Amino acid sequence: MPGASRFALETRPPADGSTRARLGRLQLRHGVVETPQFMPVGTNATVKALTPDDLHDAGATIILANTYHLYLRPGHERIARLGGLHRFMAWDRPILTDSGGFQVVSLGDLRVVDDDGVTFRSHLDGSLHRFTPEHAIAVQEALGSDIAVALDQPVAPAASSRELVADATERTHRWAERSLAAHARPGQAIFGIVQGGLEADLRAASARFISGLPFDGICLGGLAGDETPEQRDATIDIAVAELAEDPRPRYLMGLGSPADLLEAVHRGVDLFDSVMPARVARNGQLWVPGGKMNIRNGRYLDDPAPVQEDCPCLLCSRFSRAYLAHLFRARELLAYRLATCHNLTFTLDFMARIRAAIRSGTLSASLPELRLRAGRVSGSEAAVKSA
Ligand SMILES: [Zn+2]
């Protein structure tokens, strides 16, 4: 229900306008989340290869689980019968479930969107399904997440016509109202999604419309896709300007590289999620201060040093580059766990450094140093630089 979370700003952006970054505390049913914060993604009720203890040790305080995936398998009703998502996956901290809209559009085959909802085929077995705003809320209520998100119709930011963006944004607004009307689970917060693509007037109008509804938080959707960093920055600026005095948390969905996170925090965003740190880890790409290390590179086979000297993670505290390089070459399962622990530790530590800089009022002065630490880890096709 609206009001199931509390968000308090501890440090407001400075009056000189040098940054719009702010520090906050989001109180949810299963605990407090300090913002700005990054949410690791547990698609199938697991952050791939990690245990809940691994996540805890990496510094995770909230994770995201995918409504679409859990609805299809093992089924939200089954999870509810087994005591809800927290008990099912043995994670006792906050969980946000997404709306399912993005996965329906990106994974579902033969989807047909009408004003009432979206019909799609499962990417698992081709079976036919239908999500309406009411049904997407019912699924998330059954899962029992701390934060539910209203069903939206995302479109590819750069590749969509203005007509398509306008149509999807209007529909998202009507679905937002229906989602709020349907939502009834006590103790579960609900966030709404701003769309509007890269169209400045549509994005501003969407931010005004969604923030006019009694949601607990405001998501910025339809970004972290095919847009350029400049287009993304401009779109964030438009939405944040509309939300300037709004007291609720702002969540940019799908952004995950440290460099991108830093710029979005600087522009006034509080929450993020992405599969990126874990996905690139499973490909052997380790994030380290100043850049990336591709552990598949043959030169690491004889390297006794840890991946990152001062990193407290499961990988760096006990194992060498040589060992991890061997595990990847031998396709040993432990490689995926260790590499994922490291990249999530790096990402969550980076967010903690950003929060510390905001707290001390030095974020704008620290930007060059933080950008250097984030390296050129930006976007999906970032230049590869060995550390
Ligand atoms: Zn590490």
Side-chain angles (χ1 to χ4, degrees):
M1 298 286 287
S5 66
R6 292 200 187 289
F7 185 61
L9 280 182
E10 301 205 311
T11 304
R12 292 174 181 278
D16 65 6
S18 56
T19 181
R20 288 193 300 272
R22 68 235 191 115
L23 197 71
R25 279 170 66 86
L26 178 60
Q27 174 75 55
L28 297 164
R29 188 164 183 204
H30 287 85
V32 171
V33 175
E34 293 182 20
T35 65
Q37 190 57 264
F38 176 80
M39 300 183 276
V41 176
T43 300
N44 288 310
T46 168
V47 174
K48 291 187 194 307
L50 302 195
T51 68
D53 286 347
D54 290 339
L55 279 172
H56 182 277
D57 292 347
T61 52
I62 178 171
I63 62 165
L64 178 148
N66 285 123
T67 296
Y68 166 92
H69 289 85
L70 296 176
Y71 156 78
L72 287 178
R73 182 178 60 192
H76 57 292
E77 286 161 343
R78 174 173 288 132
I79 290 177
R81 284 197 301 274
L82 291 166
L85 186 53
H86 288 87
R87 181 181 298 175
F88 184 58
M89 65 181 294
W91 170 255
D92 60 6
R93 291 182 169 197
I95 299 174
L96 179 145
T97 42
D98 63 3
S99 73
F102 180 75
Q103 281 72 31
V104 166
V105 168
S106 60
L107 294 176
D109 287 333
L110 299 172
R111 65 188 179 276
V112 179
V113 180
D114 57 60
D115 287 342
D116 187 53
V118 52
T119 302
F120 59 96
R121 286 194 186 279
S122 161
H123 73 292
L124 297 174
D125 62 7
S127 55
L128 205 58
H129 299 268
R130 184 165 174 78
F131 265 12
T132 62
E134 292 79 11
H135 186 45
I137 289 297
V139 171
Q140 295 177 78
E141 289 184 342
L143 294 173
S145 53
D146 294 78
I147 303 172
V149 177
L151 185 67
D152 63 326
Q153 186 191 348
V155 293
S160 303
S161 69
R162 179 178 169 87
E163 191 184 1
L164 176 63
V165 172
D167 190 51
T169 302
E170 265 305 306
R171 189 170 290 114
T172 294
H173 293 172
R174 291 194 292 275
W175 289 1
E177 293 174 319
R178 285 168 55 186
S179 299
L180 273 172
H183 189 248
R185 185 181 171 113
Q188 185 180 53
I190 178 169
F191 284 17
I193 304 183
V194 172
Q195 288 290 345
L198 304 177
E199 307 283 336
D201 57 329
L202 297 180
R203 180 63 70 165
S206 187
R208 278 196 298 277
F209 185 90
I210 294 298
S211 64
L213 298 174
F215 285 113
D216 297 297
I218 309 294
C219 309
L220 304 182
L223 290 171
D226 58 357
E227 79 280 10
T228 66
E230 293 73 26
Q231 288 174 320
R232 184 190 313 134
D233 289 350
T235 305
I236 293 172
D237 290 348
I238 289 163
V240 169
E242 292 293 335
L243 302 172
E245 300 304 319
D246 194 286
R248 292 168 288 187
R250 307 159 184 162
Y251 161 30
L252 202 168
M253 302 185 294
L255 206 61
S257 84
D260 289 345
L261 297 174
L262 175 62
E263 300 311 319
V265 167
H266 180 43
R267 295 186 132 73
V269 182
D270 306 302
L271 277 171
F272 306 91
D273 79 281
S274 174
V275 296
M276 188 190 282
R279 179 173 288 166
V280 302
R282 296 195 302 276
N283 288 326
Q285 188 184 97
L286 285 298
W287 291 353
V288 292
K292 309 174 188 180
M293 177 185 293
N294 182 356
I295 202 68
R296 292 179 182 277
N297 189 313
R299 78 170 111 152
Y300 296 119
L301 285 166
D302 290 298
D303 191 339
V307 163
Q308 182 185 330
E309 207 58 65
D310 55 353
C311 177
C313 86
L314 181 65
L315 168 65
C316 300
S317 60
R318 296 184 64 184
F319 304 103
S320 64
R321 296 171 181 181
Y323 182 61
L324 187 64
H326 157 69
L327 291 181
F328 266 101
R329 287 187 172 224
R331 295 197 176 85
E332 281 293 337
L333 298 180
L334 183 59
Y336 309 122
R337 180 180 175 207
L338 295 178
T340 305
C341 279
H342 173 79
N343 275 6
L344 286 179
T345 299
F346 182 85
T347 306
L348 293 163
D349 171 75
F350 188 67
M351 299 307 288
R353 287 167 188 266
I354 293 174
R355 289 195 301 276
I358 299 172
R359 188 176 289 115
S360 62
T362 58
L363 182 73
S364 46
S366 303
L367 281 175
E369 181 195 330
L370 288 166
R371 284 176 179 141
L372 201 62
R373 188 174 182 88
R376 297 307 309 152
V377 187
S378 177
S380 51
E381 81 305 344
V384 175
K385 174 188 164 198
S386 289

